[in-house]
Amino acid sequence: MTRYAADPSAIKALIHPERVHRDVYTDPDIFRLEMKHLFANTWVYVGHASQIPNPGDYLTTEIGDQPVMASRHTDGSIHVLYNRCPHKGTKIASEACGNTGKFFRCPYHAWSFKTNGALLAIPFKKGYDGTGLEESEAVKGLAPVGAAHVYRDFIFARLAPSGVDFATFFGESLSSIDNMIDRSPEGKLVLEGAPLRYMHPCNWKMLVENQTDTCHPMVAHESSAGTAVSVWEREQAKGGKKPMAVEVYAPFMSPYDFFEKMGIRVWPNGHGHTGVTTSIHADYSAIPGYFEKMVEAYGEERARAILGENRHNTIYFPNIMVKGPIQTLRLFKPIAADRTLVESYTFRLVGAPDMLFERTLMYNRLINAPTSIVGHDDLEMYERAQLGLHADGLEWVNIQRLYEPGEAEDVTEISGGTSERQMRNQFHAWAKYMTMSMKPEDAAFQEAAQ
Amino acid sequence: MSAVTEKDLVDFVYREARLLDELRYEEWLGLYAEDAHYWMPAEWRQTDPRLQASLMYEDMLLLRIRVERLSGARTFSQKPKSRAQHLLQAPQVDELNPAENRYRTYTPFHYAETRGDEFNIYAGWARHELRVEEGNLKIVLKRVDLVNFDAPFGNIQLFM
């Protein structure tokens, strides 16, 4: 029996306003409870509609540890289904992205399903005559997840059949996705380019927290960004324009004061972002022809407002980060308490010059690839933290920076950019969504079993 | 340099791998032309390094940054330092074209990289495009395609 099984008070005791117990990162039982509760009660990113533009198109992914797929039905609607044949459990779709034609067909016994999941046919069906199959759950076809919602082509799903609705869950935080989309002169994004996939030997939450950790770049990335700055300082004597790659690397070495002034905004339900007033993405060279296209599409005032919003990293709790000015989305997929798969996706702004997409791809490979020197710096820190947390000398992880006693929770507020408030915000949401579906009788049952 | 022979090209590819295995990075950089690129595609039969995703597409400035970083005092991901070993299939000469000063080779390989107790093996194909500059062969483009380019890797810190 586990220490934490379905006991809301034991879960809540792990989260203090200014510190969290190390078990949230290391304990396999906590991880299992996250999969069962946290990833069921929250709205989790599934994919982008541009990956499945035509009827019969599908994409496969995981919500927590659950295999799911998003399918484009004949009527154009998108359905998020468990990727599991109702007959024997076989995964129906095996490729990351593909087209199944008019229907899904299980490769094991050829049960077939419409692209909305409904059962279409079973071979030699008379073998089920009089067996009561029509009363079984198998006859319902591919099971849909609890709820799905497509927001401006971003597909999200909640596994739990009931819970917090989409609009309440995300609220004003959707403004970061809006800004990324609005950066297209046509108001449209296309997911393009292979995702860069990077395996990390650490808990998924460390990666999420790092996205709004503004006190690590000038330290952990001194080796990469710092070296880039010093090599460029030497090389620029030879003349020439500052290369795009140096523009990407150099701002990581900005001083604390710069990051403090960037600001952090938190939203209810664990969402938040760095870069309220400015960010490390605000000072890139203009892409020829882009601003003109934006003005043409939106008018000058609106174009300036869209491009003047330079949010750094936006966390959509629980496990994605969106970078509007760069057009990337990072998905932090939990594999085990100490293992996380990071998939970094790139978007093309429809109607914008190619050079913008070139920068998006460059940013992704310089910062998010397993071959990225910035990535090497970060992974090293996560790995050391995952190992270090086993030390029994201290059991708590400190998230106290710029903490004010009595700090409001589940609110929209702006604080200094070096605050760890977004981490506190995430853990407040973590405790809430971990425990909201735990029933007291579950705990009683567990105790009885002990 | 007299006319480039097939043996010159094959020897060059072996020498590059040996410099990498012996961690002689300054000499290794010296094998590259100033306008050279080191490219690791992230897509099958990729044709475009700029508008398709790559694991690496680096010019000499970026390669120098990597090499200097490896020996930096605060490069914590290199404590302890990584080591590397190449196992090359005999390089095949795909083009020997003195008229246009273009030479191309194709070399299937296995590559091992360590980090502390960790040991990872990768497999793929290296393609070198070379030219003669002031009597020496130089790399214009080194393209490294991994057989599982789309799989999730941990840190790949050195050069294949």
Side-chain angles (χ1 to χ4, degrees), chain A residues 114-390:
Chain A
K114 295 179 186 172
T115 45
N116 64 359
L119 181 67
L120 184 62
I122 296 175
F124 208 37
K125 199 174 178 190
K126 66 182 179 186
Y128 289 104
D129 286 352
T131 65
L133 181 75
E134 62 280 3
E135 304 298 325
S136 75
E137 57 181 14
V139 83
K140 292 177 188 161
L142 300 172
V145 299
H149 189 90
V150 183
Y151 179 79
R152 299 188 74 182
D153 283 350
F154 287 78
I155 309 166
F156 289 87
R158 189 190 65 213
L159 295 178
S162 64
V164 179
D165 66 83
F166 180 86
T168 306
F169 185 74
F170 286 120
E172 292 174 24
S173 72
L174 294 169
S175 54
S176 287
I177 286 179
D178 287 337
N179 180 257
M180 181 156 74
I181 300 168
D182 292 345
R183 285 168 174 267
S184 153
E186 297 179 23
K188 193 169 175 54
L189 298 177
V190 172
L191 190 146
E192 194 177 314
L196 298 180
R197 308 176 74 216
Y198 196 172
M199 192 63 82
H200 285 69
C202 69
N203 188 269
W204 64 277
K205 295 188 292 300
M206 288 184 190
L207 279 142
V208 178
E209 284 153 39
N210 188 252
Q211 307 306 307
T212 62
D213 181 326
T214 55
C215 288
H216 87 282
M218 67 297 278
V219 182
H221 299 307
E222 185 183 339
S223 92
S224 51
T227 303
V229 168
S230 63
V231 171
W232 169 243
E233 276 171 1
R234 202 176 63 224
E235 293 288 316
Q236 70 178 339
K238 296 176 188 167
K241 184 175 164 290
K242 188 193 268 190
M244 195 186 269
V246 176
E247 286 193 351
V248 166
Y249 278 140
F252 281 71
M253 291 308 287
S254 302
Y256 289 100
D257 184 51
F258 177 86
F259 286 103
E260 176 65 16
K261 283 178 185 154
M262 265 178 32
I264 284 184
R265 181 187 279 122
V266 293
W267 291 293
N269 297 311
H271 318 300
H273 79 95
T274 42
V276 178
T277 57
T278 184
S279 80
I280 61 170
H281 305 310
D283 208 21
Y284 297 144
S285 296
I287 302 288
Y290 174 51
F291 182 68
E292 291 75 5
K293 286 202 158 191
M294 289 292 284
V295 170
E296 204 177 300
Y298 294 102
E300 183 165 343
E301 192 184 344
R302 174 92 179 107
R304 285 193 191 282
I306 292 166
L307 300 176
E309 188 77 48
N310 278 294
R311 296 183 185 182
H312 171 224
N313 291 341
T314 299
I315 296 298
Y316 289 99
F317 186 78
N319 67 329
I320 61 167
M321 183 277 276
V322 163
K323 223 182 227 317
I326 300 289
Q327 298 94 50
T328 54
L329 183 152
R330 305 188 77 197
L331 173 57
F332 307 102
K333 287 185 166 179
I335 308 289
D338 60 357
R339 198 164 163 83
T340 305
L341 169 60
V342 185
E343 293 181 336
S344 298
Y345 292 87
T346 47
F347 295 94
R348 184 194 274 274
L349 298 171
V350 177
D354 278 352
M355 199 176 172
L356 258 170
F357 187 54
E358 183 180 342
R359 185 169 71 194
T360 299
L361 290 171
M362 175 183 277
Y363 190 96
N364 210 30
R365 69 174 178 269
L366 289 181
I367 310 300
N368 299 330
T371 38
S372 154
I373 54 179
V374 170
H376 298 159
D377 295 337
D378 280 327
L379 183 144
E380 179 70 20
M381 298 307 127
Y382 307 137
E383 183 175 36
R384 290 190 191 200
Q386 193 71 36
L387 296 171
L389 284 175
H390 289 279

Side-chain angles (χ1 to χ4, degrees), chain A residues 2-15 23-25 27-42 160 164 169 203-205 269 317-318 426-440 442:
Chain A
T2 76
R3 280 180 292 165
Y4 296 111
D7 177 357
S9 61
I11 298 294
K12 287 174 180 165
L14 297 170
I15 311 298
D23 282 1
V24 304
Y25 302 102
D27 191 295
D29 297 326
I30 292 289
F31 182 83
R32 275 192 285 275
L33 290 167
E34 286 180 333
M35 297 304 104
K36 185 171 164 54
H37 294 279
L38 181 76
F39 279 86
N41 293 328
T42 47
V164 179
F169 185 74
N203 188 269
W204 64 277
K205 295 188 292 300
N269 297 311
F317 186 78
Q426 284 159 202
F427 275 112
H428 177 74
W430 184 89
K432 176 167 129 186
Y433 287 94
M434 274 288 269
T435 57
M436 68 173 19
S437 54
M438 289 179 181
K439 300 180 190 71
D442 290 346

Side-chain angles (χ1 to χ4, degrees), chain B residues 9 12-13 16 31-33 35-39 57 92-97 100-107 126-133 136-144:
Chain B
L9 299 173
F12 183 93
V13 171
E16 193 219 358
L31 298 181
Y32 284 71
D35 60 345
H37 282 88
Y38 179 105
W39 183 20
Y57 183 63
Q92 300 165 42
V93 175
D94 282 352
E95 184 174 1
L96 196 156
N97 187 344
E100 294 180 42
N101 193 11
R102 191 170 63 241
Y103 306 88
R104 293 186 300 115
T105 62
Y106 168 84
T107 314
R127 291 178 175 84
H128 289 74
E129 186 180 328
L130 310 170
R131 71 170 168 241
V132 177
E133 281 183 4
N136 296 307
L137 279 167
K138 296 274 185 181
I139 298 170
V140 178
L141 175 68
K142 180 174 180 182
R143 171 178 174 149
V144 177

Side-chain angles (χ1 to χ4, degrees), chain B residues 10-157:
Chain B
V10 168
D11 287 350
F12 183 93
V13 171
Y14 283 136
R15 175 168 163 74
E16 193 219 358
R18 180 162 178 173
L19 289 176
L20 286 172
D21 288 356
E22 294 178 355
L23 312 181
R24 292 156 65 185
Y25 292 120
E26 287 302 325
E27 290 166 82
W28 175 70
L29 287 175
L31 298 181
Y32 284 71
E34 264 311 301
D35 60 345
H37 282 88
Y38 179 105
W39 183 20
M40 283 180 80
E43 298 188 32
W44 179 238
R45 291 178 179 161
Q46 190 169 333
T47 53
D48 185 348
R50 295 183 190 278
L51 296 176
Q52 287 179 278
S54 298
L55 290 164
M56 283 174 71
Y57 183 63
E58 309 226 330
D59 60 12
M60 291 310 289
L61 177 75
L62 292 177
L63 291 178
R64 283 201 185 91
I65 291 168
R66 279 183 189 270
V67 164
E68 291 201 18
R69 175 185 175 274
L70 286 173
S71 58
R74 288 180 175 166
T75 303
F76 301 108
S77 74
Q78 281 298 300
K79 295 173 187 288
K81 286 198 178 301
S82 294
R83 291 186 294 273
Q85 195 255 357
H86 287 75
L87 181 64
L88 304 185
Q89 196 178 95
Q92 300 165 42
V93 175
D94 282 352
E95 184 174 1
L96 196 156
N97 187 344
E100 294 180 42
N101 193 11
R102 191 170 63 241
Y103 306 88
R104 293 186 300 115
T105 62
Y106 168 84
T107 314
F109 69 88
H110 281 193
Y111 167 80
E113 187 173 305
T114 71
R115 165 78 216 292
D117 294 344
E118 256 186 64
F119 177 81
N120 290 300
I121 291 203
Y122 307 88
W125 307 271
R127 291 178 175 84
H128 289 74
E129 186 180 328
L130 310 170
R131 71 170 168 241
V132 177
E133 281 183 4
E134 295 171 358
N136 296 307
L137 279 167
K138 296 274 185 181
I139 298 170
V140 178
L141 175 68
K142 180 174 180 182
R143 171 178 174 149
V144 177
D145 286 271
L146 289 176
V147 65
N148 58 342
F149 56 87
D150 50 358
F153 302 111
N155 280 356
I156 298 173
Q157 299 199 62

Side-chain angles (χ1 to χ4, degrees), chain A residues 35 39 61-69 82-83 145 159:
Chain A
M35 297 304 104
F39 279 86
T61 184
E62 293 81 31
I63 296 178
D65 62 356
Q66 297 294 297
V68 300
M69 61 169 146
Y82 286 96
N83 188 3
V145 299
L159 295 178

